[in-house]
Amino acid sequence: MALGTQLAELAIDIAREAGELARRRRSEGVEIAATKSALADIVTEADREVEDLIRSRLSVERPDDGFLGEESGAERGTGDVTWVVDPIDGTVNYAYGIPSYAVSIAAVIGEPTPAEWEAVAAVVFNPASGELYRATRGEGAWLGENTRLVVNSETSPAGALLATGFGYDPATHAGDLARVARVMPLARDLRRAGAASLDLAFVAAGRLDGYFERGLQPWDHAAGALLVTEAGGIVGGAGEGGTASSTLTVASGAPLFDRLLEAALDG
Ligand code: LIP
């Protein structure tokens, strides 16, 4: 069995177990454990517990692999594979009880930085909706067992349905709003779902025409980006060589991408 397929099957199994834990903890009531980069940047006890579950499962199944997780940081492996994990992407939604959050797990090879890695397997699982998005490099992207994901490459005279997000630090909001103003002439409307991995999954599924956001961390976009590219779309940004980065991440079908990137980039 090809490596990507093996890693994807493991990621699906772990994401389902982790997602069920997150869903169960949500139903029991959520405790804010701490704030991180800003008052609005919260972490719940469930974030930490879910990441611990994912990390311990991977350490048993793939002991030589590296790990990069939102809550427990980075650990280099002795092999070529690193797991990039956001245990609960959409943490604020989760804390408020909004059913739009996801377990995001990607397996990458090479240097564990977005500008250098090659994602080979990805899973984005929303336990509230039951929707599991998955992709293996070179083998396409899927929703559930057999719904093939294909980005929307049609351009509508009404404009594009786009999604974006805003950072936790209030000092970044003016720049984010200026970016929205630059992009709006391309849009029919905007959506703000609050979970980058689900925004990227929706681009892959053709439910959004495009997505742009400043301030994402590698674990926010690692899995969703592979969904988009395996669904025929393009992911890039302001990183080295035009890659997705914390400065800017952009995803869409090919006809829209260059215009969206140009409008979203800071002047
Ligand atoms: C979130 C992203 C979202 C962004 C939020 C936050 P988290 O990740 O998924 O797109 O707008 O500011 O970064 O913190 O829930 O893992």
Side-chain angles (χ1 to χ4, degrees), residues 172-186:
T172 65
H173 291 171
D176 291 344
L177 290 172
R179 180 172 301 102
V180 167
R182 293 197 305 270
V183 170
M184 209 60 204
L186 297 175

Side-chain angles (χ1 to χ4, degrees), residues 66-90:
F67 187 88
L68 173 58
E70 177 169 15
E71 309 309 340
S72 59
E75 181 178 352
R76 274 203 176 262
T78 55
D80 205 26
V81 175
T82 299
W83 295 88
V84 186
V85 173
D86 192 336
I88 300 177
D89 183 37

Side-chain angles (χ1 to χ4, degrees), residues 36 41-42 47 70-71 86 88-92 164-168 192 194-197 199 211 213 215-217 219-220:
K36 297 186 293 187
D41 185 4
I42 58 172
D47 286 276
E70 177 169 15
E71 309 309 340
D86 192 336
I88 300 177
D89 183 37
T91 296
V92 174
T164 191
F166 302 96
Y168 291 120
R192 198 306 188 223
S197 59
D199 287 323
Y211 166 66
E213 185 163 355
L216 294 186
Q217 297 300 321
W219 44 78
D220 291 321

Side-chain angles (χ1 to χ4, degrees), residues 24-189:
R24 189 166 67 248
R25 289 292 180 257
R26 176 59 261 181
S27 68
E28 294 164 353
V30 169
E31 294 293 322
I32 307 298
T35 57
K36 297 186 293 187
S37 63
L39 284 176
D41 185 4
I42 58 172
V43 57
T44 70
E45 292 297 348
D47 286 276
R48 292 172 171 169
E49 188 181 6
V50 170
E51 185 161 316
D52 287 349
L53 181 154
I54 295 168
R55 194 160 190 169
S56 61
R57 280 286 312 270
L58 289 170
S59 66
V60 168
E61 307 273 355
R62 302 276 308 180
D64 298 335
D65 293 355
F67 187 88
L68 173 58
E70 177 169 15
E71 309 309 340
S72 59
E75 181 178 352
R76 274 203 176 262
T78 55
D80 205 26
V81 175
T82 299
W83 295 88
V84 186
V85 173
D86 192 336
I88 300 177
D89 183 37
T91 296
V92 174
N93 286 348
Y94 183 77
Y96 275 76
I98 298 171
S100 181
Y101 60 92
V103 175
S104 180
I105 300 175
V108 303
I109 56 176
E111 274 303 300
T113 60
E116 297 181 75
W117 71 40
E118 180 180 272
V120 291
V123 178
V124 173
F125 175 46
N126 179 348
S129 68
E131 289 191 325
L132 187 141
Y133 303 83
R134 60 188 174 84
T136 304
R137 176 173 290 278
E139 295 182 16
W142 307 83
L143 169 56
E145 286 303 312
N146 50 27
T147 302
R148 186 80 184 244
L149 299 180
V150 180
V151 296
N152 184 1
S153 290
E154 301 297 317
T155 52
S156 161
L161 185 62
L162 301 176
T164 191
F166 302 96
Y168 291 120
D169 179 356
T172 65
H173 291 171
D176 291 344
L177 290 172
R179 180 172 301 102
V180 167
R182 293 197 305 270
V183 170
M184 209 60 204
L186 297 175
R188 67 187 303 158
D189 203 346

Side-chain angles (χ1 to χ4, degrees), residues 8-20:
E9 289 188 358
L10 176 59
I12 290 166
D13 185 60
I14 294 174
R16 287 195 180 283
E17 183 181 359
E20 175 50 26

